[in-house]
Amino acid sequence: MRIKTVQAWWVRIPIEAARQHRSDFGQVTTFDAAILRIETDDGLVGWGEGKNAAGSTGSYGALVHMLNHEVGPQLIGCDPADIGVIWEMLYNGVRHDSAAQNGHAMPQLARRGISVAAISAVDIALWDILGKSLGVPVWRLLGGRKLDRMPAYASGGWASAEAIGDQLKSYIAKGGFKALKMRIGAMDGAPHNSAARVRAARQALGPEVDLMVDAHGTYTVAEAKRFIHLAGDLDLAWFEEPVIADDKPGMAEVRASGSIPIATGESEATRYAFRDLATLKAADIFQPDPAFCGGISEAMKIGTIASAFNLRFAPHLWAGAPCFFAGLHVCAASPASFTVEYSLGANPMIHDLIEETVEAKDGMIAIPEQPGLGFTLSERFLEAHALRG
């Protein structure tokens, strides 16, 4: 079995006006991603996804061009089962032979950003192909499934202090969630405004529902510490991305300033960044995004680091179907995982891009049983919303 074709698209799906929300990313009017299709010479197709932009918006022209014109040609004729070898080949570039012979990485200078986003898309698609070729779900190949359903949390929460309680309670009604996440940070202005919204949410929900907050890295260290002081009595399950990912020492300072667990990682790429978070004692919960961190292969390594440092693991899954399903398989196989992110914003990249119905019941998400990643992509829907790169 050999790789025959590689094709990527910038997929841009409009979001109806009534379902749009506003955050520090601005008004979110479309859902965007790079979707990758890899086909083998015996007709198997694997689907992957790469991300290089904030949230679900942004420009994907460069990433798609890279996949189609730089990465794709290198894959033609490769054995798709050589997943780890291909990962290292793409990461090390022209020095991949030397790296393989010497037993340590020698990455090309452009080893982050869209380079790893492209590797992520390829890696996810190759795991999909391997599972399909063997007739088993990907979690079986990763070591097995610890649960047939994973606890999930509803991810959303942009409403004002006056409306946030009703918005979050509507999430419980939709999927029986016992854990909810809301957005805070620069979208609110000063930390006391965020704290007021979170206090209103806690008062509406009561003490039995887990409540998490996500600042999208928009606070300074001082502002994040101020928020912790103001919200320290609200029993928050975690404080996500309090400061920018580039300031790991600052993240560690925020973590040391209070008792709220710190979650981070959606803006980090590769095991090396998460090694640094662990050794700096900067986080309690790792949140790699499979479509950005290096794919399923790298997410599993990151989960191992979390386990080794007695940390927890909750991948960032505000994404399209290939990334979301990749995250389900990783969570099912990872000892340190404990919850799955489930988008309660408009997400046509999951719900409309595939034939299956994705839903939460009683606050739980079923782990797929079908071979590969376990979804059927609607190529007609893809073609209707694809911009070729």
Side-chain angles (χ1 to χ4, degrees), residues 95-371:
R95 296 187 295 208
H96 69 271
D97 288 334
S98 296
Q101 292 166 8
N102 286 278
H104 64 87
M106 300 180 188
Q108 53 192 342
L109 295 179
R111 69 191 192 284
R112 291 291 187 273
I114 66 172
S115 294
V116 175
I119 294 172
S120 301
V122 171
D123 187 84
I124 292 169
L126 294 181
W127 280 106
D128 192 23
I129 288 172
L130 184 59
K132 289 172 178 174
S133 72
L134 298 174
V136 298
V138 167
W139 54 258
R140 177 69 67 194
L141 305 174
L142 299 176
R145 178 179 64 174
K146 64 181 184 181
L147 296 167
D148 59 6
R149 297 195 305 159
M150 287 287 297
Y153 69 90
S155 184
W158 305 273
S160 66
E162 294 73 25
I164 189 66
D166 288 340
Q167 185 178 58
L168 294 179
K169 285 193 286 188
S170 75
Y171 297 168
I172 297 174
K174 289 177 182 176
F177 297 98
K178 301 173 180 62
L180 309 170
K181 185 169 79 180
M182 61 180 287
R183 270 60 183 180
I184 62 169
M187 60 178 280
D188 295 326
H192 70 267
N193 295 324
S194 289
R197 289 179 59 242
V198 178
R199 189 168 298 279
R202 175 54 79 197
Q203 289 172 350
L205 296 172
E208 300 303 318
V209 176
D210 282 341
L211 180 62
M212 301 86 107
V213 297
D214 183 357
H216 285 156
T218 59
Y219 282 141
T220 65
V221 171
E223 288 169 336
K225 291 164 69 174
R226 177 67 176 158
F227 174 82
I228 286 176
H229 173 74
L230 293 167
D233 63 334
L234 299 179
D235 190 27
L236 296 179
W238 76 56
F239 182 6
E240 183 171 331
E241 284 201 305
V243 298
I244 63 169
D246 290 332
D247 188 9
K248 292 182 179 62
M251 194 87 68
E253 184 179 342
V254 171
R255 180 175 183 250
S257 72
S259 60
I260 301 175
I262 300 301
T264 193
E266 72 178 79
S267 300
E268 302 287 5
T270 79
R271 75 202 88 148
Y272 304 109
F274 287 86
R275 172 205 60 196
D276 293 344
L277 286 169
T279 57
L280 286 169
K281 300 185 183 301
D284 299 278
I285 300 154
F286 283 176
Q287 298 178 297
D289 187 307
F292 181 72
C293 76
I296 291 171
S297 298
E298 205 69 358
M300 289 297 294
K301 294 180 177 71
I302 292 162
T304 299
I305 295 172
S307 180
F309 280 82
N310 199 28
L311 304 174
R312 293 193 295 170
F313 183 66
H316 177 255
L317 299 178
W318 190 281
C323 178
F324 179 78
F325 276 74
L328 292 182
H329 290 271
V330 168
C331 284
S334 298
S337 69
F338 69 106
T339 190
V340 170
E341 181 173 26
Y342 186 81
S343 166
L344 261 292
N347 192 334
M349 200 69 77
I350 290 179
H351 299 295
D352 300 329
L353 187 62
I354 63 173
E355 304 291 350
E356 291 77 10
T357 298
V358 178
E359 60 184 343
K361 295 181 180 179
D362 300 321
M364 308 287 282
I365 297 282
I367 304 300
E369 299 274 0
Q370 299 87 351

Side-chain angles (χ1 to χ4, degrees), residues 6-89:
V6 179
Q7 175 68 57
W9 299 266
W10 174 358
V11 179
R12 164 166 281 184
I13 306 174
I15 297 173
E16 58 185 291
R19 300 202 65 200
Q20 293 174 12
H21 66 264
R22 175 172 288 278
S23 73
D24 51 281
F25 299 139
Q27 190 78 14
V28 180
T29 60
T30 62
F31 204 113
D32 295 69
I35 300 297
L36 179 68
R37 182 185 191 273
I38 297 179
E39 184 174 357
T40 68
D41 55 9
D42 57 358
L44 286 176
V45 173
W47 294 96
E49 179 178 350
K51 295 168 65 177
N52 66 262
S56 54
T57 63
S59 175
Y60 280 85
L63 176 55
V64 169
H65 182 91
M66 184 177 191
L67 283 164
N68 284 334
H69 300 288
E70 298 180 29
V71 172
Q74 298 179 62
L75 301 178
I76 304 303
C78 290
D79 184 339
D82 286 341
I83 299 174
V85 174
I86 290 172
W87 199 104
E88 296 294 335
M89 177 189 76

Side-chain angles (χ1 to χ4, degrees), residues 372-385:
L373 291 175
F375 64 83
T376 307
L377 193 133
S378 171
E379 297 196 45
R380 178 179 299 179
F381 187 86
L382 182 148
E383 288 285 354
H385 297 90

